[in-house]
Amino acid sequence: MFHDHSWYIVHTKHQQDRICAEALERKRFGVYLPMGQRIVKHARREEVVMRPALGRYLFVGFDPDGQLGRMMSEVKRTIGVEWMIQPAGTRAPLPVPPSIVEALRAAEDAGFFDDPKCIRIRDGQTMVARLPRRGDLVRVMEGPFAGFLAEVVRAPSENRIEIVIKHARMGGRFTTSLAKLEKVA
């Protein structure tokens, strides 16, 4: 996606990984926040949720032809940013080889950061499958949009999956539950 970017590491404030990533995306930076699925127990219920895999670290991509100082300043002023990783004694951020970012993306896609129990968990009598990932194509199975194809935007939990329906006459961004979606191969 952002192959023409130079990647750098951002250290975020406590539990502000997603807020920081969204703010950087709004500023049109390339952002990669590795995510993994975890099981969270609350009120005697188990729910599959997406959590940042590298706790307080994300990658930001700059245009290599841009002004590094100006870009760094803009990143540091972003909500949720604690600091950028810099080599000792320098003022420039530490560049990350694109091959490392690509390897992390491949590991995330392979489920390397997922809790092994998330592959299938028991929920009463049924089995709950792993959450869809950003970019997955799904079909809406229930409700007024039944039969429509959609793309997953975000899946923070099985009850809050954001999708975008792209249809000739209508479309939009909606939130639904995993039970109402079917993954398209």
Side-chain angles (χ1 to χ4, degrees):
M1 184 169 170
F2 295 100
H3 298 290
D4 59 341
H5 283 59
S6 296
W7 291 98
Y8 302 92
I9 303 171
V10 171
H11 187 264
T12 66
K13 293 179 181 175
H14 183 64
Q15 295 187 347
Q16 292 194 15
D17 314 70
R18 293 182 198 192
I19 293 168
C20 182
E22 289 172 5
L24 287 166
E25 285 175 346
R26 281 193 304 272
K27 290 183 176 188
R28 306 232 185 253
F29 285 106
V31 177
Y32 174 52
L33 176 61
M35 301 291 282
Q37 295 184 42
R38 302 277 181 267
I39 294 176
V40 174
K41 293 180 182 179
H42 181 68
R44 296 184 190 165
R45 286 189 35 181
E46 290 184 341
E47 186 176 33
V48 179
V49 297
M50 294 296 288
R51 293 280 163 87
L54 302 179
R56 297 184 71 182
Y57 291 97
L58 61 84
F59 298 88
V60 64
F62 298 168
D63 179 359
D65 298 328
Q67 297 174 338
L68 184 61
R70 186 179 59 78
M71 300 277 197
M72 270 184 61
S73 176
E74 189 64 31
V75 168
K76 287 180 178 180
R77 286 194 314 257
T78 303
I79 187 169
V81 172
E82 184 104 21
W83 66 75
M84 293 183 72
I85 304 298
Q86 299 173 230
T90 67
R91 301 191 88 193
L94 179 68
V96 176
S99 59
I100 290 177
V101 174
E102 291 304 317
L104 285 169
R105 285 183 194 271
E108 180 183 18
D109 290 343
F112 183 78
F113 300 124
D114 296 344
D115 183 335
K117 296 181 223 163
C118 288
I119 294 171
R120 293 212 177 263
I121 62 170
R122 294 214 176 269
D123 182 21
Q125 300 290 4
T126 62
M127 298 294 276
V128 178
R130 70 174 48 211
L131 293 172
R133 299 197 182 277
R134 182 188 322 191
D136 283 353
L137 195 59
V138 294
R139 183 179 320 278
V140 180
M141 301 306 292
E142 295 180 23
F145 304 110
F148 283 74
L149 291 178
E151 183 179 329
V152 175
V153 176
R154 215 167 61 97
S157 76
E158 63 188 70
N159 296 319
R160 287 184 41 96
I161 298 175
E162 290 181 38
I163 58 172
V164 173
I165 296 176
K166 298 176 183 171
H167 191 267
R169 285 188 233 150
M170 56 142 314
R173 191 171 179 153
F174 304 95
T175 301
T176 187
S177 69
L178 181 62
K180 295 181 181 179
L181 300 175
E182 176 183 78
K183 188 169 179 181
V184 177

